[in-house]
Amino acid sequence: MKTESWQQCIIPSCGKKYSVKERRTACDCGELLDVKYRGDYPKSLQETFSERRNHGPNIFDESGVWRYRELINFVGVETENYDFYSKKLVSLDGAEGRTKPVHLTRVAEYVGIKTGNFWLQFEGDNPTGSFKDNGMATAFTHAKMVGAKKVVCASTGNTSSSAAAFAANELDMEAVIFVGAGKIAKGKLAQTLAYGAKVLQVKGDFDVAMAMVKALSEKSGIYVVNSLNPFRLEGQKSMMYRVLDYLSWEVPDWIVLPGGNLGNTSAFGKAFMELYDYGWIKKKPRIAVVVAEGAPTLYDLYNERNLRWNNGDIDNEIIEEYYSEIDRKGVKASTKATAIEILKPVNLKKALRTLEYTGGAVTKVPDEDILDAMAMVSSNGFGCEPASAATVAGIKKLVEQGEIGTDEVVVGILTGHMLKDFKAIVDYHFNPKNRFANTPLTVEPDINEVLDLIEK
Ligand code: F0G
């Protein structure tokens, strides 16, 4: 199947187009870019995708990203010609994106939705333990396509782990990582170092590191794998393809996810816009973004200052005023959900588009609720890191507020693995004051004492 693709400014009044062969992180006008496609998308592809789940030895059918290659074909591969596409597409041996929505009874009860209507998708089950692998598969494919040998990103730890792993797995590719010194969870730092990336610890937080990456790319043209790279977001759309694929293409009422740099929010919205245009879905799910109270930019701008996409005619003054207020007051993001400790999300405008397109919602939750939700997820035998648990805390809040109806179908995306930030979990459970703490008991090596204790 042949597709035509190009990059295009997201702001309709500009709409400038660029070749997919260009490496860019922005339009000449400074705004974000989309990857656009023209092609034929028959609904019969749904069956093809489903059949590819029985992948046999084909790692590109096994991959939960490349299984949907017709919908993200910016390379222009012949999608049924293995010899052709296997030379072009980058994959961690088919391991990325092998996730699907699952039911968790206790969490469903906790948030107040019927088990049968409530799904969580554990993106922590990706090879490097977060959803980022979905996007790195496509970002690295594009990097390879344009001949890049070095990639760079700023990170709160998961982007860096994923970028480092993909670089390590490719011959002839190097990753340079900027992190805020002391700002990333140890599990993530460990991965990034172990995969052999060059790690630069910046004295500052994620927002400072991100600004440095932007400046560096403008100066040197180095290939950026943060989510302002539109090709990375193409891979992240596959999370929504899997939701729909496993729900037999029945569109849920809500998709709920945590918001940091707002790449997922942007990618998910784009996935639904395209599927709607192709006539594959008749309704759009509402997308709810959950931010931490200590990193509330989207909440403040959307709910309190009424910032809207407005068909691309965004009131930039509202954003500029907000950011200059933050800078003036020296406000810094601060949350135990370190993955989303971000005050200046690079994909803000695309996220506004998603919210408008899907009739979405934004909520914010305190760290206490995030950590309780994290413990609750684990009580079902699954697990996630704090930022991911914001999803569950947010669903609970939206149900309590009557925004999400108790009989609606809800899919929550849990973005990262529980062992990414094991310290957050240990700290939680060692403090018996926490609502769901499972504090260990200290015992003498005395069998009678032990018997007493375990029979209690
Ligand atoms: N959840 C986790 C576990 C993350 O690592 C991130 C982002 C998000 C949610 C937010 O996603 O940016 O698409 O809104 N982590 C980035 C990183 C910033 O560097 O690892 P988003």
Side-chain angles (χ1 to χ4, degrees):
M1 187 180 298
K2 266 268 175 228
T3 338
E4 207 185 313
S5 55
W6 64 96
Q7 304 185 69
Q8 188 164 350
C9 180
I10 63 164
I11 303 296
S13 60
C14 171
K16 191 165 177 189
K17 294 180 182 178
Y18 305 90
S19 157
V20 282
K21 296 199 178 99
E22 280 194 47
R23 39 169 122 174
R24 313 188 57 98
T25 48
C27 179
D28 286 341
C29 75
E31 299 290 353
L32 295 164
L33 293 167
D34 270 331
V35 181
K36 305 283 267 185
Y37 303 98
R38 190 175 299 117
D40 233 1
Y41 300 98
K43 238 177 153 179
S44 58
L45 278 172
Q46 291 174 7
E47 270 162 56
T48 310
F49 298 154
S50 174
E51 280 160 17
R52 287 180 186 157
R53 285 198 237 149
N54 290 324
H55 43 77
N58 183 337
I59 62 162
F60 300 97
D61 287 355
E62 185 176 0
S63 163
V65 175
W66 294 120
R67 186 188 306 149
Y68 306 99
R69 50 193 172 270
E70 283 79 0
L71 301 180
I72 50 175
N73 192 8
F74 56 85
V75 186
V77 294
E78 291 170 22
T79 56
E80 293 295 354
N81 182 346
Y82 180 88
D83 287 341
F84 184 1
Y85 65 69
S86 62
K87 291 191 184 69
K88 309 270 184 191
L89 308 181
V90 176
S91 169
L92 281 178
D93 206 42
E96 65 281 341
R98 294 186 48 71
T99 69
K100 60 174 186 180
V102 296
H103 287 308
L104 296 190
T105 309
R106 287 201 183 98
V107 186
E109 265 169 32
Y110 181 66
V111 298
I113 299 174
K114 273 186 276 174
T115 304
N117 284 350
F118 181 68
W119 306 85
L120 290 174
Q121 185 157 297
F122 285 82
E123 293 298 325
D125 291 346
N126 269 284
T128 76
S130 86
F131 75 86
K132 305 287 179 179
D133 297 338
N134 294 286
M136 285 307 161
T138 46
F140 273 75
T141 295
H142 186 252
K144 185 170 166 175
M145 180 176 156
V146 300
K149 301 276 177 248
K150 200 178 271 190
V151 303
V152 67
C153 68
S155 185
T156 56
N158 282 327
T159 301
S160 61
S161 302
S162 185
F166 272 83
N169 198 240
E170 286 294 293
L171 297 174
D172 216 13
M173 189 65 97
E174 205 188 316
V176 179
I177 311 287
F178 287 77
V179 298
K183 286 292 192 185
I184 77 172
K186 287 284 189 312
K188 304 176 187 182
L189 182 59
Q191 282 180 287
T192 309
L193 295 171
Y195 294 136
K198 182 171 281 175
V199 178
L200 305 171
Q201 303 201 71
V202 185
K203 289 179 189 149
D205 57 11
F206 174 84
D207 293 309
V208 173
M210 190 68 240
M212 290 199 60
V213 165
K214 275 191 193 169
L216 185 71
S217 83
E218 275 158 29
K219 242 190 147 115
S220 71
I222 187 170
Y223 193 91
V224 178
V225 292
N226 279 106
S227 53
L228 44 76
N229 175 341
F231 295 94
R232 208 188 97 190
L233 296 188
E234 289 307 289
Q236 288 175 211
K237 291 189 311 190
S238 70
M239 285 179 259
M240 293 302 102
Y241 301 154
R242 296 195 289 281
V243 167
L244 292 176
D245 196 354
Y246 284 90
L247 267 54
S248 306
W249 298 90
E250 291 284 329
V251 180
D253 297 302
W254 289 92
I255 300 286
V256 187
L257 76 161
N261 234 351
L262 304 177
N264 276 335
T265 308
S266 307
F268 295 0
K270 185 171 187 281
F272 291 116
M273 283 178 220
E274 289 169 348
L275 293 176
Y276 193 85
D277 281 352
Y278 302 160
W280 287 26
I281 56 173
K282 294 277 170 279
K283 80 168 200 191
K284 307 153 198 167
R286 298 179 69 189
I287 293 187
V289 188
V290 188
V291 295
E293 278 189 354
T297 301
L298 183 66
Y299 180 91
D300 289 351
L301 289 175
Y302 190 77
N303 291 349
E304 293 187 346
R305 303 196 182 189
N306 219 16
L307 181 70
R308 290 293 180 274
W309 168 247
N310 198 21
N311 290 317
D313 188 11
I314 295 169
D315 189 342
N316 285 315
E317 258 178 45
I318 300 181
I319 306 173
E320 280 155 26
E321 238 173 65
Y322 185 79
Y323 285 166
S324 64
E325 261 174 55
I326 288 175
D327 291 342
R328 211 175 42 246
K329 293 184 190 153
V331 178
K332 297 283 172 222
S334 174
T335 167
K336 288 190 174 144
T338 53
I340 52 173
E341 197 174 49
I342 295 172
L343 275 190
K344 294 182 178 169
V346 295
N347 288 296
L348 175 63
K349 291 184 180 176
K350 283 186 178 175
L352 292 173
R353 181 175 68 176
T354 292
L355 288 166
E356 179 165 300
Y357 186 80
T358 70
V362 183
T363 190
K364 65 175 177 180
V365 286
D367 280 1
E368 192 187 346
D369 293 3
I370 290 176
L371 296 174
D372 283 344
M374 180 180 75
M376 181 44 68
V377 170
S378 304
S379 77
N380 273 243
F382 283 73
C384 67
E385 65 168 281
S388 315
T391 292
V392 172
I395 295 171
K396 183 169 161 59
K397 185 166 173 184
L398 291 168
V399 171
E400 280 165 6
Q401 290 174 336
E403 180 91 57
I404 295 183
T406 49
D407 55 353
E408 290 193 288
V409 176
V410 180
V411 179
I413 304 300
L414 300 191
T415 44
H417 196 277
M418 68 189 293
L419 293 178
K420 288 276 189 175
D421 190 355
F422 48 86
K423 185 173 181 302
I425 301 177
V426 173
D427 288 352
Y428 181 91
H429 288 290
F430 268 73
N431 182 353
K433 290 203 190 98
N434 285 323
R435 186 166 168 203
F436 303 116
N438 179 22
T439 310
L441 306 169
T442 306
V443 291
E444 295 298 330
D446 171 343
I447 211 70
N448 291 325
E449 190 189 332
V450 169
L451 274 175
D452 273 358
L453 275 174
I454 58 178
E455 273 161 18
K456 253 192 207 156

